[in-house]
Amino acid sequence: MEARELALKIVNDIEGKGAYANIVLSRELSRHRLTDQDRRFTTELVYGTTKAGGTLDWLLSHYSSRPLEKVNPTIRNILRIGMYQLFFLTKVPPSAACNEAVNLAKKFGHAGTVKFVNAVLRNAARSPEKATYPDPQDEPVRYLSLKYFHPEWLVTLWLERWGFAECEKLLRINNETPPLCLRTNTLKISREELLRRLETEGAKCEASNWTPEGIICVEHPALANLPSLKDGLMQVQDESSMLVSHVLAPQPGEFIIDACGAPGGKSTHIAALMNNRGRLLSTDLYDHKLKLTEENAKRLGITMLETQALDATTLHLRYAGQADRVLVDAPCSGLGVLRRKPDSRWRKNQAMLRDLPVLQLAILESAAECVKPDGILVYSTCTTEPEENEQVVEEFLRRHPGYSLEPVGSYLPGERKDRMLQLWPHVDGVDGFFIARMKRNK
């Protein structure tokens, strides 16, 4: 299947079936034999069209007399993919973008839709100046939303919090393609040895400056084809996510609970830091997610990890006062990892910032009851919002005077002075992450 047709199929699944972009893209790429160039092009079309959805519809409104909601969904997506190439992919000739869209319309439409697609895209290719972004002085929210492909409610929130310049930087980096980050499985290999091996497998990599196990892949062949991944020598995990287990600082022989552990990135990292010795319980609400944890553990050669399906708000009913350390990597809005999940920005809403902290605090309170005296409780999220981060920790400490905050910076590779750690994509060059460490004193 040709790259544009495959991209159309995937975009249809995302919009029509609610499929997650990264999951359906990975599945479809594994089913079709594509060159590396076509894999990259398909990925760019899917992720770009998905990210820019609202802006593409706004652009189309300048060239189509027909309301988009009255256009067949497949034809609408053909137009979106075509417009994305015309306005945002400078290396694609306009003639190719138009011609290939027309060919797709011939395959999935009728004579009338073929003429419609041809007219709209050639009009856009001839007169791109007809679509001009709003003035940032007069309409800053609409300007930033359209130019950087983010929902207006989120732009409004960040604009009020950070001001125009910082907000624009964050929006811009959320649209950049993040590097592939890998964690060395130190149970099997050293980072230096893995770097040499990855080079022989056709990957261009460098050591992370954030963590001793981290590797950044600048260029690489299809991930699924890397023997080092199949052999369990590494795990895909962002640098900021790797920091969480270092802050937890688990020790061999201890009993550790990872309260929201699936799909197992942090759980398996904890196991490696414990030299695969001790007891590690990784829990999650859903069995199918725990199976991913188990598969990762098996591939990585981890034998100490056990899984259990349960509601993290009830953790204390089974494990009160038993654990040396507990990690709560809480369910969150995920606003720190938008660059890795191009469709997720359109699945979020502002109500999350009201509702999620209630759940996050409930999980944290249950987990806290599982910690032994002098034990450690770590709270982390992959979001940037204070309602889910500092405010949750501060409310927890207000309710639980037996816990005290320990400065996170002391436990990071490359010591910092942070009391609680908030990382930002546009400032730190890693996924947006929050980490707090607390000690149970009694």
Side-chain angles (χ1 to χ4, degrees):
M1 186 180 290
E2 193 263 349
R4 289 180 177 86
E5 184 177 343
L6 182 57
L8 175 63
K9 180 182 187 306
I10 295 169
V11 171
N12 281 340
D13 283 348
I14 294 167
E15 185 188 349
K17 300 179 183 178
Y20 290 100
N22 57 333
I23 295 175
V24 68
L25 176 67
S26 176
R27 184 187 70 214
E28 292 298 330
L29 288 179
S30 68
R31 288 178 177 175
H32 297 84
R33 290 191 174 184
L34 300 176
T35 64
D36 283 347
Q37 182 178 3
D38 278 349
R39 288 174 66 90
R40 288 192 293 270
F41 188 45
T42 302
T43 301
E44 177 62 43
L45 289 178
V46 170
Y47 281 178
T49 303
T50 303
K51 275 190 293 195
T55 300
L56 294 174
D57 289 353
W58 174 79
L59 288 168
L60 282 165
S61 71
H62 290 77
Y63 304 100
S64 170
S65 58
R66 190 181 307 177
L68 281 178
E69 60 270 16
K70 294 186 178 180
V71 177
N72 173 277
T74 296
I75 301 302
R76 187 166 61 230
N77 285 330
I78 290 173
L79 286 170
R80 287 169 174 160
I81 292 171
M83 291 294 277
Y84 181 72
Q85 294 169 79
L86 287 176
F87 282 85
F88 302 110
L89 293 186
T90 56
K91 292 183 180 180
V92 176
S95 57
C98 294
N99 292 338
E100 293 302 326
V102 167
N103 288 336
L104 287 173
K106 289 177 181 177
K107 185 165 186 176
F108 295 101
H110 51 74
T113 56
V114 171
K115 290 181 180 178
F116 173 62
V117 167
N118 186 54
V120 169
L121 293 181
R122 295 201 185 279
N123 186 11
R126 282 193 303 267
S127 308
E129 71 283 352
K130 285 177 65 175
T132 304
Y133 291 123
D135 189 303
Q137 299 286 337
D138 298 334
E139 298 182 82
V141 171
R142 188 149 173 75
Y143 167 80
L144 290 171
S145 175
L146 288 169
K147 186 170 183 181
Y148 296 106
F149 320 147
H150 283 68
E152 288 192 7
W153 72 265
L154 186 55
V155 172
T156 301
L157 179 71
W158 285 346
L159 197 57
E160 290 174 353
R161 281 188 175 158
W162 320 122
F164 190 94
E166 284 300 302
C167 177
E168 186 174 33
K169 288 177 186 175
L170 180 54
L171 298 176
R172 183 186 293 118
I173 201 167
N174 280 345
N175 290 335
E176 294 178 3
T177 302
L180 173 67
C181 299
L182 305 170
R183 173 173 55 80
T184 308
N185 179 14
T186 53
L187 294 174
K188 291 187 174 184
I189 195 171
S190 70
R191 179 167 69 176
E192 292 69 28
E193 291 173 308
L194 181 56
L195 282 167
R196 288 194 292 270
R197 175 162 168 159
L198 285 169
E199 187 176 357
T200 68
E201 294 173 6
K204 293 183 180 179
C205 301
E206 59 191 38
S208 164
N209 293 323
W210 284 90
T211 66
E213 313 92 338
I215 290 175
I216 309 301
C217 274
V218 182
E219 293 181 22
H220 61 90
L223 183 61
N225 295 333
L226 288 174
S228 290
L229 183 69
K230 297 177 183 177
D231 293 344
L233 303 182
M234 61 190 190
Q235 173 73 25
V236 176
Q237 189 175 4
D238 191 72
E239 295 167 283
S240 53
S241 175
M242 292 181 218
L243 294 175
V244 176
S245 298
H246 284 288
V247 172
L248 185 68
Q251 301 301 310
E254 291 183 332
F255 175 34
I256 310 292
I257 299 176
D258 186 355
C260 306
K266 296 177 189 67
S267 292
T268 53
H269 190 193
I270 291 168
L273 291 175
M274 297 173 72
N275 296 323
N276 204 22
R277 288 168 37 216
R279 184 185 179 195
L280 172 59
L281 174 65
S282 184
T283 74
D284 198 90
L285 193 58
Y286 302 105
D287 280 315
H288 71 275
K289 289 187 175 181
L290 288 174
K291 287 180 181 176
L292 295 175
T293 301
E294 292 164 1
E295 289 169 4
N296 278 320
K298 183 178 180 180
R299 180 177 54 82
L300 296 167
I302 293 166
T303 55
M304 66 174 291
L305 188 148
E306 56 189 274
T307 61
Q308 190 172 126
L310 55 79
D311 183 338
T313 62
T314 66
L315 198 64
H316 63 287
L317 298 179
R318 297 192 187 189
Y319 298 103
Q322 296 183 38
D324 295 286
R325 302 168 200 258
V326 179
L327 169 61
V328 174
D329 186 49
C332 70
S333 62
L335 295 178
V337 293
L338 294 183
R339 62 183 188 155
R340 295 197 181 275
K341 300 177 180 180
D343 52 330
S344 67
R345 66 192 67 189
W346 305 113
R347 301 177 191 265
K348 312 293 184 185
N349 58 68
Q350 197 159 7
M352 287 180 163
L353 303 184
R354 179 193 67 233
D355 299 336
L356 279 169
V358 177
L359 173 62
Q360 291 158 347
L361 185 58
I363 294 173
L364 193 56
E365 291 192 312
S366 179
E369 290 192 39
C370 300
V371 180
K372 295 176 181 177
D374 295 322
I376 298 300
L377 175 64
V378 169
Y379 176 76
S380 67
T381 72
C382 58
T383 189
T384 52
E385 304 312 294
E387 294 95 330
E388 302 177 78
N389 295 339
E390 294 95 332
Q391 291 176 23
V392 169
V393 172
E394 288 164 358
E395 177 61 19
F396 169 79
L397 291 171
R398 188 187 67 79
R399 295 186 186 186
H400 299 270
Y403 273 87
S404 60
L405 195 65
E406 296 198 324
V408 162
S410 303
Y411 298 91
L412 295 173
E415 199 168 307
R416 294 169 54 127
K417 295 180 179 180
D418 305 78
R419 188 166 166 266
M420 294 185 271
L421 181 67
Q422 178 67 69
L423 297 171
W424 296 86
H426 68 296
V427 174
D428 302 294
V430 296
D431 287 352
F433 241 85
F434 173 82
I435 313 173
R437 174 181 163 117
M438 293 158 281
K439 183 176 181 180
R440 182 170 190 172
N441 301 308
K442 59 181 179 179

